[in-house]
Coordinates of all heavy atoms in Angstrom, one line a residue:
Chain A
Y34 N -190.3 72.3 -20.3 CA -191.4 72.9 -19.6 C -191.8 74.1 -20.3 O -193.0 74.7 -20.1 CB -191.0 73.3 -18.2 CG -190.6 72.1 -17.3 CD1 -189.4 71.5 -17.3 CD2 -191.6 71.5 -16.5 CE1 -189.2 70.4 -16.5 CE2 -191.4 70.4 -15.7 CZ -190.1 69.8 -15.8 OH -189.8 68.7 -15.0
G35 N -191.1 74.7 -21.1 CA -191.4 75.9 -21.8 C -191.2 77.2 -21.1 O -191.7 78.2 -21.5
E44 N -177.7 90.4 -26.2 CA -177.6 90.1 -24.8 C -176.4 89.1 -24.7 O -175.6 89.3 -23.7 CB -179.0 89.4 -24.3 CG -180.0 90.4 -23.9 CD -181.4 89.8 -23.5 OE1 -181.7 88.8 -24.1 OE2 -181.9 90.3 -22.5
S50 N -166.0 84.8 -23.1 CA -165.4 83.8 -22.4 C -164.6 83.0 -23.4 O -164.9 81.9 -24.0 CB -166.3 82.8 -21.7 OG -166.8 83.4 -20.5
D90 N -151.6 90.9 -7.2 CA -150.6 89.8 -7.4 C -149.5 90.4 -8.2 O -149.5 91.3 -9.0 CB -151.2 88.6 -8.2 CG -152.2 87.8 -7.4 OD1 -152.3 88.0 -6.2 OD2 -152.8 86.9 -8.1
Y115 N -146.2 80.8 -14.1 CA -147.2 79.8 -13.9 C -148.4 79.7 -14.7 O -148.8 78.6 -15.0 CB -147.6 80.1 -12.4 CG -148.3 79.0 -11.7 CD1 -147.7 77.8 -11.5 CD2 -149.7 79.0 -11.3 CE1 -148.4 76.7 -10.9 CE2 -150.2 78.0 -10.5 CZ -149.6 76.8 -10.4 OH -150.2 75.8 -9.7
T121 N -156.2 83.3 -20.9 CA -156.8 83.6 -19.6 C -156.5 85.0 -19.1 O -157.4 85.6 -18.5 CB -156.0 82.6 -18.7 OG1 -156.2 81.2 -19.1 CG2 -156.7 82.7 -17.2
R128 N -163.0 90.9 -17.6 CA -164.3 90.9 -16.8 C -164.1 91.3 -15.4 O -165.0 91.8 -14.7 CB -164.9 89.4 -16.9 CG -164.0 88.4 -16.3 CD -164.7 87.0 -16.4 NE -163.7 85.9 -16.2 CZ -163.2 85.6 -15.0 NH1 -163.7 86.1 -13.9 NH2 -162.4 84.6 -14.9
G178 N -147.3 72.6 -17.6 CA -147.0 72.4 -16.1 C -148.1 71.8 -15.3 O -148.0 71.8 -14.1
I180 N -151.0 68.7 -14.5 CA -151.3 67.3 -14.5 C -152.7 67.1 -13.9 O -153.2 67.8 -13.2 CB -150.2 66.5 -13.8 CG1 -150.1 67.0 -12.4 CG2 -149.0 66.5 -14.5 CD1 -149.2 66.1 -11.5
H196 N -141.7 59.7 15.9 CA -142.9 60.6 15.7 C -142.4 62.1 15.4 O -141.4 62.5 16.0 CB -143.7 60.7 17.1 CG -144.8 59.6 17.0 ND1 -145.8 59.6 16.0 CD2 -145.0 58.5 17.8 CE1 -146.5 58.5 16.2 NE2 -146.1 57.8 17.3
Chain B
K172 N -182.9 82.3 -21.7 CA -182.8 83.4 -20.6 C -183.9 83.1 -19.6 O -185.1 83.1 -19.9 CB -183.0 84.7 -21.3 CG -183.1 85.9 -20.3 CD -183.3 87.1 -21.2 CE -183.5 88.4 -20.2 NZ -183.9 89.5 -21.1
E231 N -183.8 71.6 -20.5 CA -184.7 72.6 -21.1 C -184.0 73.3 -22.3 O -184.7 73.7 -23.3 CB -185.1 73.6 -20.1 CG -186.2 74.6 -20.4 CD -187.6 73.8 -20.4 OE1 -187.7 72.7 -20.0 OE2 -188.6 74.5 -20.9
A249 N -166.3 90.2 -9.7 CA -165.2 89.4 -10.2 C -165.7 88.6 -11.4 O -164.9 87.9 -12.1 CB -164.7 88.5 -9.2
A250 N -167.0 88.6 -11.7 CA -167.6 87.6 -12.7 C -166.9 86.3 -12.6 O -166.4 85.7 -13.6 CB -167.5 88.3 -14.1
R301 N -174.9 83.0 -15.7 CA -174.6 82.4 -17.0 C -174.0 81.1 -17.0 O -173.1 80.8 -16.1 CB -173.7 83.4 -17.7 CG -173.4 83.0 -19.2 CD -172.7 84.2 -19.8 NE -171.4 84.5 -19.5 CZ -170.4 83.8 -20.2 NH1 -170.6 83.2 -21.4 NH2 -169.0 84.1 -19.9
M310 N -160.3 77.2 -19.0 CA -159.0 77.6 -18.3 C -159.0 79.0 -17.8 O -158.2 79.8 -18.1 CB -157.9 77.4 -19.4 CG -157.8 75.9 -20.0 SD -157.3 74.9 -18.7 CE -157.2 73.3 -19.5
K317 N -154.9 79.8 -9.8 CA -155.2 79.8 -8.3 C -155.5 78.5 -7.8 O -154.7 78.0 -6.9 CB -156.5 80.7 -8.1 CG -156.0 82.3 -8.5 CD -155.0 82.8 -7.5 CE -154.6 84.1 -7.9 NZ -153.4 84.6 -7.2
T319 N -155.0 75.4 -8.2 CA -154.2 74.2 -8.6 C -153.2 73.9 -7.6 O -152.7 74.9 -6.9 CB -153.6 74.6 -10.0 OG1 -152.9 75.8 -9.9 CG2 -154.7 74.6 -11.1
A327 N -148.4 71.1 -11.5 CA -149.4 71.3 -10.6 C -150.7 70.5 -11.0 O -150.9 70.3 -12.1 CB -149.8 72.8 -10.8
Y465 N -147.5 63.0 14.5 CA -147.8 61.9 13.7 C -146.5 61.0 13.4 O -145.5 61.2 13.8 CB -148.1 62.5 12.3 CG -147.2 63.4 11.6 CD1 -146.3 63.0 10.8 CD2 -147.4 64.8 11.8 CE1 -145.4 63.8 10.1 CE2 -146.6 65.7 11.2 CZ -145.5 65.2 10.4 OH -144.7 66.1 9.7

Side-chain angles (χ1 to χ4, degrees):
Chain A
Y34 293 85
E44 280 177 320
S50 282
D90 286 353
Y115 197 60
T121 307
R128 61 185 165 76
I180 53 175
H196 269 297
Chain B
K172 174 186 176 182
E231 191 73 8
R301 185 166 73 97
M310 300 295 179
K317 292 296 169 187
T319 48
Y465 56 87

